[in-house]
Amino acid sequence: MRRGEIDGARQAPKRAVLGTIVEAFEIASPVEAIEPYGRGLINDTFRVVAGGTRYVLQRINGAVFPDPLRIMSNIQVLDRQARLHPDLGFRVPVLIATRTGEAGLRAPDGNVWRLMTLIEDAVGLPRLETPEQAREVGRLLGRFHTLLQSLPADALSVTLPGFHDTPAYLARFLSVLARVEGARNDPDVEIGVRFALDRQALAKRLADARDRGEIPVRVIHGDPKLDNILFDRDSGRALALIDLDTLQPGLILHDIGDCLRSCCNRSGESAGGLNRVSFDLAVAEPILHAYAEQTRAWLSAEEIALIPEAIRLMPFELGLRFLTDHLEGDRYFKVAEPGENLRKAGIQFDLVTDIEGKAADIRALVSRWNASEV
Ligand code: GN1
Ligand code: MG
């Protein structure tokens, strides 16, 4: 893909254009408000109020997702599955069809837009503050996986080929590093590069276990970071996992590792200043405990045994992706300023270092999986 294509796609559409797009969907009128929403790094998201109802409008990044309509059909599979299991109390945003009955709108410039209902009375949390909130996260992820594990992995389309393919991310990093002249002259880049080169062997651990048939491909969320978890405004119960773009076949361990890398790093993905990046074991324990309660009946011993590896792998993978994107000129992840991807790579790598120092504690947490206290 060429640079200009992505930059063009990144320009914020004008209000009038947004209004026309919204009106192509089956919604009540009049459209009362459209405003930017959330802090996703890939798609553009807006909150829409129309006829007193609130919706989420998104432009799916066509430079990332090769066939955005596959995302919508996967969401419909999830929705059907959630309706079959109301006992799991899982809320799924409802896709609103266009006035011509399509699941999404292909605009004249080629971008695909979709409109969903906003999950009402639900809030996101900037960080987990209590063990109860952490338990809710584990319970939700466990229920989500339980809901989906009865589906064959190929019941879902691949929306993002190569997603969480850590060996491929490493290969790309190495080729970009070789291609970008003078990349290593920046001392901050050099620190990240050395860190990544020292840990190349880590990249293939889970992929190897999968290729040897030790762990199965199942249906996963792909991006269960804290920002994508909604809690009931009143009861505090976790209600929904949103951002379903990467709902597709994958490894459960990718989801577990990704959720923990996000939730247990309480200073966040962009922490600045004097905050020391740390993996908070007091958050990890209730998440894993609650997750184990939900998944005990079907999660395999091989998957459980690899959880500590996954916890170390996912921040490494994300750090590698941020660093590669920095070297490539910030083409994939949105940045507010140059250098942001490099800084965020450093934060993920610091998290890996902290996790490495806590490896024995993390193993001890996981080894209690089948014991009565978990
Ligand atoms: C991206 O879509 P968004 O902004 O929620 C990324 C995830 C990363 C995350 C880090 C499709 O998520 O893999 O973990 O940023 N999604 C994609 O915040 O690449
Ligand atoms: Mg996402």
Side-chain angles (χ1 to χ4, degrees):
M1 67 192 68
R2 283 178 294 119
R3 187 81 217 266
E5 286 170 0
I6 302 171
D7 290 342
R10 289 270 162 107
Q11 279 156 21
K14 303 244 166 5
R15 172 66 172 77
V17 175
L18 289 171
T20 312
I21 288 164
V22 170
E23 274 159 17
F25 288 87
E26 265 309 331
I27 52 167
S29 50
V31 176
E32 292 146 37
I34 306 180
E35 58 203 30
Y37 192 58
R39 42 180 188 175
L41 300 175
I42 309 290
N43 296 328
D44 298 297
T45 308
F46 304 86
R47 195 182 67 130
V48 175
V49 186
T53 306
R54 300 196 297 165
Y55 301 90
V56 176
L57 174 71
Q58 284 190 305
R59 175 168 66 176
I60 300 170
N61 186 330
V64 171
F65 295 98
D67 181 358
L69 292 174
R70 284 190 210 152
I71 299 175
M72 269 73 101
S73 68
N74 282 358
I75 294 176
Q76 284 158 347
V77 174
L78 172 68
D79 188 41
R80 276 199 296 279
Q81 195 69 2
R83 284 170 203 271
L84 287 175
H85 297 276
D87 49 306
L88 291 172
F90 198 83
R91 286 180 48 192
V92 182
V94 178
L95 281 170
I96 310 294
T98 66
R99 295 190 190 275
T100 54
E102 309 292 327
L105 176 75
R106 195 173 287 278
D109 63 3
N111 283 307
V112 174
W113 292 79
R114 65 160 172 226
L115 190 76
M116 291 166 295
T117 52
L118 185 131
I119 295 183
E120 291 291 347
D121 304 318
V123 290
L125 296 174
R127 76 182 62 77
L128 296 178
E129 303 286 359
T130 67
E132 190 44 52
Q133 289 171 345
R135 260 191 295 283
E136 279 301 309
V137 167
R139 218 171 66 85
L140 183 78
L141 189 64
R143 278 187 294 149
F144 186 81
H145 286 157
T146 300
L147 182 66
L148 293 170
Q149 71 86 33
S150 58
L151 289 174
D154 61 8
L156 281 279
S157 304
V158 175
T159 60
L160 184 46
F163 191 53
H164 293 320
D165 183 346
T166 326
Y169 291 129
L170 176 65
R172 172 141 185 188
F173 164 71
L174 295 173
S175 90
V176 170
L177 189 62
R179 185 159 42 82
V180 178
E181 215 170 302
R184 297 177 69 166
N185 294 344
D186 175 337
D188 290 332
V189 169
E190 180 59 13
I191 293 171
V193 167
R194 279 176 181 275
F195 186 92
L197 294 179
D198 283 348
R199 285 165 182 74
Q200 291 181 66
L202 177 59
K204 55 188 173 54
R205 295 279 162 74
L206 296 187
D208 279 355
R210 179 201 56 210
D211 294 345
R212 286 195 298 262
E214 292 163 12
I215 51 176
V217 172
R218 304 182 192 264
V219 177
I220 68 162
H221 179 278
D223 190 13
K225 59 180 179 181
L226 184 59
D227 277 357
N228 289 338
I229 297 174
L230 295 184
F231 298 81
D232 185 291
R233 192 195 308 276
D234 301 320
S235 70
R237 297 226 98 169
L239 285 180
L241 255 175
I242 53 167
D243 181 4
L244 299 161
D245 303 338
T246 49
L247 174 73
Q248 62 174 10
L251 299 179
I252 286 283
L253 288 161
H254 288 145
D255 269 2
I256 299 176
D258 197 60
C259 185
L260 290 175
R261 80 146 185 89
S262 162
C263 293
C264 302
N265 167 16
R266 295 183 62 255
S267 57
E269 252 171 48
S270 337
L274 298 174
N275 279 322
R276 205 180 76 78
V277 180
S278 155
F279 182 84
D280 194 333
L281 291 165
V283 176
E285 179 169 27
I287 294 180
L288 287 172
H289 185 141
Y291 184 83
E293 277 175 354
Q294 296 297 321
T295 59
R296 204 189 300 282
W298 56 267
L299 194 67
S300 74
E302 290 77 11
E303 288 170 300
I304 296 168
L306 282 168
I307 289 174
E309 281 292 15
I311 292 175
R312 182 170 165 235
L313 178 69
M314 295 314 284
F316 177 66
E317 180 190 281
L318 186 58
L320 203 54
R321 294 173 66 201
F322 283 143
L323 181 58
T324 307
D325 200 33
H326 173 76
L327 294 174
E328 288 198 287
D330 304 322
R331 297 157 59 121
Y332 186 93
F333 295 107
K334 280 183 198 164
V335 291
E337 60 196 19
E340 190 176 324
N341 270 318
L342 175 60
R343 208 166 53 73
K344 288 166 81 174
I347 290 168
Q348 292 303 311
F349 288 163
D350 285 351
L351 187 59
V352 174
T353 304
D354 195 61
I355 287 168
E356 288 171 350
K358 291 171 178 162
D361 297 305
I362 294 172
R363 277 198 304 274
L365 271 186
V366 174
S367 70
R368 297 207 295 270
W369 200 270
N370 291 311
S372 55
E373 72 263 42
V374 173

